[in-house]
Amino acid sequence: AADMMLKWLAVLVVLATLGCPAWGAEHTSALVVDDIVCRGNLTTSCKFIRGHLFLRAGQSLDENEIDNATLRLSWLPNFRSVAIHLEKGAERGRVIVVIEVVEADPIATAFSAGLSFRSGSQSGTVTGRIGDHNLFGSGKSLDLILAGEQPIAGLTARESLARLEYTDPQLFGSRRNFLFAGARSEE
């Protein structure tokens, strides 16, 4: 009986050493990032896209970071869709991380017109907005908003508003610093 126990123990040790999934052991091989490439980006720089993936060539592949980068990029108004997949690298155990994007139109426009009735006064309102959410192909944005109100009847005063906003999500190439600045004029 002791002989049989030793044989079974030896079999279990061999199976565990081989990484048999049936015994709960996981067989993992550390993949190393060979390169990170971008596809589908016509106007957005690959440097901007890669800046949202916190991996570098030569590092071990981190699948959680790939999932997080997919979410970070998907939330940007620059892209309609984002997918990240792996391709074979130069040698066994090495991979190329491919970030495929479908870019959205970087120019956003809006226009509205209407009538306002307040406290016996009437006025016409007009509002317009134009913005570029991929300024210089680097993910920076510039928005111009103009609004005006013209009295039609009553005691309403003429009003106008102009607002210019600039956003840099990666100030000086940093992943941690951003800039938001704006200027506003009212009459």
Side-chain angles (χ1 to χ4, degrees):
D3 238 6
M4 186 60 116
M5 281 285 252
L6 285 174
K7 286 181 182 176
W8 278 108
L9 185 59
V11 168
L12 287 175
V13 168
V14 168
L15 287 174
T17 304
L18 293 175
C20 178
W23 295 99
E26 291 184 23
H27 179 58
T28 59
S29 61
L31 296 175
V32 176
V33 176
D34 239 359
D35 196 8
I36 301 168
V37 298
C38 305
R39 294 195 183 136
N41 55 316
L42 302 174
T43 59
T44 307
S45 75
C46 192
K47 179 181 178 183
F48 173 75
I49 295 169
R50 283 192 309 247
H52 289 81
L53 176 65
F54 302 156
L55 286 177
R56 299 282 178 255
Q59 286 183 318
S60 293
L61 182 69
D62 181 350
E63 290 178 311
N64 287 331
E65 177 50 35
I66 288 177
D67 292 340
N68 291 337
T70 302
L71 287 174
R72 280 190 290 273
L73 288 164
S74 295
W75 278 97
L76 294 175
N78 307 56
F79 309 110
R80 284 191 287 152
S81 69
V82 175
I84 300 177
H85 67 272
L86 305 177
E87 293 181 356
K88 289 181 181 181
E91 56 189 60
R92 185 176 183 87
R94 299 188 70 87
V95 294
I96 297 171
V97 179
V98 179
I99 306 171
E100 285 198 54
V101 298
V102 175
E103 293 177 315
D105 185 358
I107 304 297
T109 59
F111 177 79
S112 66
L115 295 173
S116 174
F117 301 96
R118 290 182 281 176
S119 304
S121 297
Q122 299 173 3
S123 60
T125 60
V126 176
T127 305
R129 173 181 179 241
I130 185 164
D132 186 344
H133 294 285
N134 196 12
L135 196 62
F136 312 121
S138 58
K140 297 166 182 14
S141 71
L142 185 66
D143 278 313
L144 175 63
I145 300 166
L146 301 170
E149 186 171 3
Q150 178 67 40
I152 297 173
L155 300 173
T156 306
R158 181 178 180 184
E159 296 180 19
S160 63
L161 165 79
R163 188 170 73 197
L164 184 65
E165 297 175 348
Y166 173 76
T167 306
D168 186 343
Q170 294 177 340
L171 185 62
F172 304 120
S174 168
R175 295 183 201 164
R176 302 198 188 282
N177 299 320
F178 67 93
L179 172 71
F180 176 81
R184 179 180 175 137
S185 172
E186 288 185 60
E187 281 186 30

